Amino acid sequence: MKKNAVVGQSGGPTAVINASLYGVAHEALNHKDSIGTIYGMINGIEGFLNNQIMDLAPLEESGELELIRTTPGSYLGSCRYKLPEDLTDPLYPQLFQRFEEYNIGYFFYIGGNDSMDTVSKLSRYAKKTGSSIRILGIPKTIDNDLVETDHTPGFGSAAKFVASSVREIAVDASVYDNKKSVTIVEIMGRHAGWLTAASALARKFDGDNPVLIYLPETSFNQDAFIEKVRSALEQTPNLVVCISEGIHDESGTFICEYSNAVGVDTFGHKMLTGSGKYLENLVKERLGVKVRSIELNVCQRCSSAMLSKTDHKEAMDAGAYGVKAALEGSTGNMVAFKRLDSDNYKIDYVLKDVNIICNQEKTVPIDWITDDGADVTEEFIAYAKPLIQGEVTVPMEDGVPKFAYRK
Amino acid sequence: MKKNAVVGQSGGPTAVINASLYGVAHEALNHKDSIGTIYGMINGIEGFLNNQIMDLAPLEESGELELIRTTPGSYLGSCRYKLPEDLTDPLYPQLFQRFEEYNIGYFFYIGGNDSMDTVSKLSRYAKKTGSSIRILGIPKTIDNDLVETDHTPGFGSAAKFVASSVREIAVDASVYDNKKSVTIVEIMGRHAGWLTAASALARKFDGDNPVLIYLPETSFNQDAFIEKVRSALEQTPNLVVCISEGIHDESGTFICEYSNAVGVDTFGHKMLTGSGKYLENLVKERLGVKVRSIELNVCQRCSSAMLSKTDHKEAMDAGAYGVKAALEGSTGNMVAFKRLDSDNYKIDYVLKDVNIICNQEKTVPIDWITDDGADVTEEFIAYAKPLIQGEVTVPMEDGVPKFAYRK
């Protein structure tokens, strides 16, 4: 008897997490000889526990699956649900009982670190109990912080969005070039600075904005920062500085916490302003120039306007590769990317042990950051540039992007 | 002897202010029989006073002018410079002396309210002194707040960016649809709510997000707002609310000022958080749900990712029309748009007295806002939808948009 498949999405959405869903669903639907029904979990493993599932085959017939391919966000809904550490927890037999009810033989989970933790636990439980369900992870995160893979789907499009937006912000900032100004752009990434580093791709020429880039991989010294800004303003009167939301001082205190220590809102709550806002005030106070701060915010992970064709294709292919690997017997693995040739960008899809991947974080190598901690090196540029290449045409309706959504 | 032309840009940039610069330059270069050199003022009238000008003809030869067409921001640089009210001020003869030195016969100024004030003063001074210089305004503002014109270049692209971004934010917000949440999006527009109203174009179906939209044209009641949010959450668990940065209470106090009254940063400065941040805390306090606020920020006016083809074409055509009008003898006017047919969108380019336009503000008609002040009507949708239609392909280089810039 043919087994069914189930696919879920988990953690924060990206611009291409649905491309991976498309990849899984489309490939699985191409294997009707081996796979029965292809289910989607609504709101990940949490929804699945509550029997929230849907049959994905009708989406292909209706054309909705094609639209899902270019829709940002998690079409199936997401969850942040951590499975118990203890594999003897009664939740596990309950879950696998549910798998049996739906005759699941293949389980695909698209997500980042935490989602790979789910894949790890389920596959270990399956092994322990002799279950034949094949359990695979499909990577996804704009943070690019998964180990054992050259990069992750979602990063390329977010990096392209960051680079484009910072280039536009720099153009905007330069219109009053007869007056000095500082624009501080705060970019997502609490512990890993990959996305902030991608702002270097915004430069139109050597020495162009963003002149200063600060990642959370090194510690941030406020006095040194002010001196850097002061000196950079001599060359670049309309200075753009990019900082990661997670920059911190030597003791590990986040820069944004400096501000929170004092501000209190009308309700007596601490004012949760970001690092950018704090540094805006710091620069204003110390240098007396015009300053503004900008948070790129969730648009970094949900904008469909700057899909990288490379990233988009890899996201689809990663999903499809996962299905093929499962059919060939793989379980307990995550689909990963291996870069074959640095000069002529090319990757291979490989499988990596998910137990090594989950709960680890890959940060930007220290030697890809300049000694003064205020820029990235050519090695980073060479690494990141291929990932943002190419554009994807998103279908439009009435002047805005057309997206798929569950009715 | 042929006269020369000079064109300048002033005020905040938009995504298509350079399309108007292209329109002026391209059209003027097509009239070499009547117009000599075509100068660009660097940093508007302020730079011109300091002899900061450039010849635009070489830009056409080098292909740079073509690139300027799709570059956001003010290629020539901008200024915020108010000419003296008193036309007997010595600055005027000084300026007109400079016009004479450069043999200027045609003066084009691309900008909003304040820039039209410059056009008004210069044209009145010219009339008073019998100068033959023809002085024309080309409209530009994302705020869409100029009177005597159906709409302004810049608004359509900003509206398309707002509608697209809000649609994407709504998709992003909906991924945890098993948990209630409120997302507050703060949109530019201090006094006129046109751009905030454009967020209504983000809806995929009736009743879709953004469910609540608040403009500065009506007064904002915090208690009524909380009740609206509470009730909307019953239908839409992941609620998106769009507010104008300029929302204010009945007495005219900006909502953001409520927050500033208490927050103080490390340096003893008032914390300048926006209305969105204030309402984020208010909703959290009163309803205890998950809330976040997002400022769309300067990307609204500088993103090239969501250029409206309609807006882009009209911006170019407005520039070209201004040149033709000047050659036919017009002065003291602004190029304006007259909508001919509401059902089948079509406009005529017309000339309007700049003295009536400057220093006035056109706000959203009160009868285009629903009685509860929390949405816009179908009339607004019918008005705005044609303005965001069509896409423009921006040239790319190395994965990011390629922009023109002064070397």
Side-chain angles (χ1 to χ4, degrees):
Chain A
M1 187 192 156
K2 278 194 292 187
K3 289 281 188 180
N4 299 327
V6 67
V7 54
Q9 298 173 306
S10 167
T14 77
V16 300
I17 183 169
N18 284 332
S20 289
L21 172 62
Y22 170 90
V24 169
H26 185 73
E27 186 67 26
L29 288 163
N30 277 344
H31 292 278
K32 290 196 179 126
D33 47 335
S34 334
I35 304 176
T37 306
I38 296 129
Y39 293 112
M41 296 176 227
I42 310 298
N43 292 122
I45 196 80
E46 194 174 10
F48 181 73
L49 272 164
N50 298 318
N51 287 307
Q52 291 182 278
I53 60 168
M54 67 185 288
D55 182 357
L56 298 181
L59 298 180
E60 184 160 68
E61 288 145 29
S62 68
E64 187 83 346
L65 195 60
E66 180 59 27
L67 196 57
I68 287 174
R69 220 169 55 87
T70 49
T71 295
S74 307
Y75 178 84
L76 294 173
S78 188
C79 71
R80 292 198 185 275
Y81 187 82
K82 209 170 165 63
L83 288 175
E85 295 301 325
D86 181 2
L87 294 185
T88 65
D89 190 283
L91 189 78
Y92 288 100
Q94 192 187 328
L95 249 173
F96 276 72
Q97 171 60 29
R98 188 116 323 146
F99 288 149
E100 212 156 289
E101 281 164 28
Y102 290 111
N103 189 33
I104 302 296
Y106 311 96
F107 176 100
F108 304 100
Y109 216 43
I110 312 169
N113 283 310
D114 294 341
S115 313
M116 293 312 135
D117 180 70
T118 297
V119 173
S120 161
K121 284 167 178 162
L122 291 180
S123 58
R124 280 186 282 133
Y125 183 83
K127 194 176 172 185
K128 192 181 117 177
T129 57
S131 161
S132 65
I133 303 182
R134 296 167 193 172
I135 295 164
L136 280 118
I138 315 293
K140 166 280 342 172
T141 169
I142 62 163
D143 291 331
N144 199 37
D145 60 353
L146 296 183
V147 297
E148 299 279 300
T149 184
D150 181 74
H151 59 279
T152 57
F155 172 64
S157 296
K160 190 182 180 88
F161 178 85
V162 165
S164 304
S165 300
V166 169
R167 179 173 281 195
E168 290 167 340
I169 288 167
V171 162
D172 186 272
S174 71
V175 305
Y176 300 113
D177 54 8
N178 48 350
K179 294 186 180 66
K180 282 190 184 181
S181 74
V182 178
T183 302
I184 299 165
V185 184
E186 184 179 321
I187 296 166
M188 279 179 166
R190 202 82 178 148
H191 304 293
W194 296 105
L195 210 48
T196 305
S199 67
L201 302 170
R203 292 174 184 148
K204 300 184 290 297
F205 51 85
D206 276 353
D208 190 21
N209 275 316
V211 173
L212 303 174
I213 298 175
Y214 292 95
L215 312 187
E217 278 79 358
T218 59
S219 56
F220 184 89
N221 180 292
Q222 299 187 39
D223 294 326
F225 167 71
I226 289 296
E227 282 319 302
K228 275 280 177 195
V229 170
R230 189 198 305 273
S231 129
L233 279 169
E234 300 297 318
Q235 300 291 322
T236 311
N238 299 123
L239 185 69
V240 177
V241 180
C242 290
I243 58 157
S244 158
E245 59 177 338
I247 52 168
H248 54 80
D249 69 14
E250 258 181 83
S251 73
T253 303
F254 287 118
I255 298 305
C256 60
E257 292 181 74
Y258 279 85
S259 149
N260 297 345
V262 179
V264 175
D265 73 11
T266 320
F267 314 108
H269 296 151
K270 274 189 183 180
M271 297 276 272
L272 297 168
T273 57
S275 305
K277 195 77 190 169
Y278 173 77
L279 293 178
E280 175 187 325
N281 287 334
L282 183 74
V283 172
K284 213 176 277 170
E285 175 78 9
R286 298 273 194 94
L287 301 179
V289 293
K290 190 183 151 199
V291 198
R292 66 176 168 193
S293 63
I294 295 170
E295 267 185 60
L296 285 190
N297 227 307
V298 297
C299 299
Q300 289 165 86
R301 69 180 188 205
C302 66
S303 175
S304 68
M306 276 294 150
L307 287 177
S308 151
K309 190 175 183 177
T310 304
D311 182 36
H312 189 251
K313 182 183 180 303
E314 290 174 354
M316 289 190 289
D317 289 352
Y321 186 82
V323 172
K324 282 181 257 182
L327 287 174
E328 287 167 12
S330 174
T331 188
N333 289 316
M334 184 189 85
V335 175
F337 300 160
K338 186 177 168 188
R339 196 180 296 220
L340 299 175
D341 184 341
S342 299
D343 294 332
N344 297 296
Y345 178 74
K346 196 170 180 314
I347 59 157
D348 246 5
Y349 297 86
V350 292
L351 295 168
K352 293 286 180 177
D353 185 349
V354 76
N355 300 300
I356 296 173
I357 295 164
C358 64
N359 305 316
Q360 273 202 69
E361 248 177 351
K362 187 177 74 177
T363 53
V364 178
I366 290 297
D367 57 356
W368 287 8
I369 300 170
T370 54
D371 291 339
D372 60 3
D375 201 355
V376 292
T377 66
E378 277 306 313
E379 282 87 350
F380 173 80
I381 304 284
Y383 164 82
K385 197 177 268 180
L387 311 182
I388 68 165
Q389 298 306 309
E391 288 73 54
V392 176
T393 302
V394 175
M396 303 290 286
E397 63 178 348
D398 274 345
V400 280
K402 185 176 180 183
F403 296 146
Y405 58 94
R406 296 198 319 278
K407 272 87 190 174
Chain B
M1 186 189 158
K2 278 195 291 189
K3 289 282 189 180
N4 300 327
V6 66
V7 55
Q9 298 173 306
S10 167
T14 76
V16 300
I17 182 170
N18 283 333
S20 289
L21 172 62
Y22 171 91
V24 169
H26 184 75
E27 185 67 27
L29 288 163
N30 278 343
H31 293 278
K32 290 195 178 125
D33 49 332
S34 334
I35 304 176
T37 307
I38 296 130
Y39 292 112
M41 297 176 225
I42 311 298
N43 293 119
I45 195 83
E46 194 174 10
F48 182 74
L49 272 165
N50 297 318
N51 287 308
Q52 290 182 279
I53 61 167
M54 67 184 289
D55 183 355
L56 297 182
L59 298 180
E60 184 160 68
E61 288 146 29
S62 67
E64 187 83 347
L65 195 59
E66 180 61 25
L67 196 56
I68 286 174
R69 221 170 53 89
T70 49
T71 295
S74 307
Y75 179 84
L76 294 173
S78 188
C79 71
R80 294 198 183 277
Y81 188 83
K82 208 168 164 66
L83 288 175
E85 295 302 324
D86 180 2
L87 294 184
T88 66
D89 189 285
L91 189 79
Y92 289 99
Q94 192 187 331
L95 248 174
F96 276 72
Q97 171 63 30
R98 187 117 323 148
F99 288 148
E100 213 155 289
E101 281 163 28
Y102 290 110
N103 189 33
I104 302 296
Y106 311 95
F107 176 102
F108 305 99
Y109 217 41
I110 312 169
N113 282 314
D114 293 341
S115 312
M116 294 311 137
D117 179 72
T118 297
V119 173
S120 161
K121 283 166 179 165
L122 291 180
S123 60
R124 280 186 281 131
Y125 183 84
K127 192 174 174 188
K128 191 181 118 179
T129 58
S131 161
S132 64
I133 302 183
R134 295 164 193 175
I135 296 164
L136 279 117
I138 315 294
K140 166 286 329 177
T141 170
I142 62 163
D143 292 331
N144 200 38
D145 61 352
L146 296 182
V147 299
E148 298 279 302
T149 184
D150 180 74
H151 58 279
T152 57
F155 172 64
S157 295
K160 189 182 182 86
F161 178 85
V162 164
S164 304
S165 299
V166 169
R167 178 173 282 196
E168 290 167 339
I169 287 167
V171 162
D172 187 271
S174 70
V175 304
Y176 301 114
D177 53 8
N178 47 349
K179 297 188 177 62
K180 282 189 182 181
S181 73
V182 178
T183 302
I184 299 166
V185 184
E186 183 178 321
I187 296 166
M188 280 179 165
R190 202 81 181 148
H191 305 293
W194 294 104
L195 210 49
T196 305
S199 66
L201 301 170
R203 292 174 185 147
K204 300 183 290 298
F205 50 86
D206 275 353
D208 190 22
N209 276 314
V211 174
L212 303 173
I213 298 175
Y214 292 94
L215 313 187
E217 277 79 359
T218 59
S219 54
F220 184 89
N221 180 293
Q222 299 186 38
D223 294 326
F225 167 70
I226 289 295
E227 282 319 304
K228 274 280 176 195
V229 170
R230 189 197 306 274
S231 131
L233 279 169
E234 300 298 319
Q235 300 291 322
T236 310
N238 299 124
L239 185 69
V240 178
V241 181
C242 290
I243 59 158
S244 159
E245 58 177 339
I247 52 167
H248 53 80
D249 69 13
E250 257 183 82
S251 73
T253 303
F254 286 117
I255 298 305
C256 59
E257 291 182 76
Y258 278 86
S259 151
N260 296 346
V262 178
V264 175
D265 73 12
T266 320
F267 313 108
H269 295 151
K270 273 190 187 181
M271 298 273 275
L272 296 167
T273 57
S275 305
K277 195 78 191 167
Y278 173 78
L279 293 179
E280 176 187 323
N281 287 333
L282 184 74
V283 172
K284 213 176 280 170
E285 175 77 10
R286 298 273 193 93
L287 301 180
V289 293
K290 192 184 150 200
V291 198
R292 67 178 168 191
S293 62
I294 295 169
E295 267 185 58
L296 286 190
N297 227 307
V298 297
C299 299
Q300 290 164 87
R301 68 180 188 204
C302 67
S303 176
S304 67
M306 277 294 149
L307 289 176
S308 150
K309 191 174 183 179
T310 304
D311 183 36
H312 189 249
K313 182 182 181 301
E314 289 174 355
M316 289 190 289
D317 289 352
Y321 187 84
V323 172
K324 282 181 256 181
L327 287 172
E328 285 167 13
S330 173
T331 188
N333 288 317
M334 184 189 84
V335 176
F337 300 159
K338 186 177 169 189
R339 196 179 298 218
L340 297 174
D341 183 341
S342 299
D343 295 330
N344 297 297
Y345 178 75
K346 197 172 182 308
I347 60 158
D348 246 6
Y349 297 86
V350 293
L351 295 168
K352 293 286 180 175
D353 185 349
V354 76
N355 300 300
I356 297 173
I357 295 164
C358 62
N359 306 317
Q360 274 202 69
E361 248 176 348
K362 187 177 73 177
T363 53
V364 178
I366 290 297
D367 56 356
W368 286 9
I369 300 170
T370 54
D371 290 341
D372 60 2
D375 201 354
V376 293
T377 66
E378 277 306 314
E379 282 88 351
F380 172 80
I381 303 285
Y383 164 82
K385 197 177 269 182
L387 311 181
I388 67 165
Q389 298 306 310
E391 287 73 54
V392 176
T393 302
V394 176
M396 304 290 285
E397 62 178 349
D398 274 345
V400 280
K402 185 176 181 184
F403 296 146
Y405 57 94
R406 296 197 322 276
K407 273 89 188 171

